[in-house]
Amino acid sequence: VQLVESGGSVVQAGGSLRLSCATSGFNLADYAVGWFRQAPGNEREGFSCISARDGQTVYADSVKGRFTVSSDTAQNVVYLQMNNLKSEDTAIYHCAVERRPRCFGPAYNGRVYLPMDLFMSSGPGTQVTVSS
């Protein structure tokens, strides 16, 4: 099971980026894939999840309305479209496949529940830097 993120870059505030999470070793249609990010000095934040089986998506309040997660099961890729980026979005972004077909949802108290002990695997991450 492997996941590899790509698409991170330096972008100005208000700009957009699309991240990709290339997956292999499992059937994307059978498992939920989540996104989490971590900035230096900050705790890990799970902010989105998608279940390709039924199209279920979950978003944290911090990204709702700005980020959109989607999947292409034919290409085994999960995408994260990020619009109206803010300086507080600066972080390393990771995708992870969960040991369950659906995401925990809806978001609770504005947060997405992505427990690491349920990850089959996660990617090394891609750096997103938003300059103000």
Side-chain angles (χ1 to χ4, degrees), residues 23-73:
T23 72
S24 61
F26 66 98
N27 188 346
L28 183 57
D30 290 339
Y31 297 93
V33 172
W35 285 90
F36 65 96
R37 61 189 180 182
Q38 188 152 24
N42 290 1
E43 64 180 22
R44 182 177 68 93
E45 178 194 13
F47 62 87
S48 185
C49 183
I50 184 168
S51 168
R53 173 177 293 187
D54 59 5
Q56 176 204 25
T57 56
V58 187
Y59 298 96
D61 285 355
S62 59
V63 305
K64 188 178 292 185
R66 300 188 299 122
F67 290 10
T68 303
V69 63
S70 61
S71 63
D72 183 338
T73 54

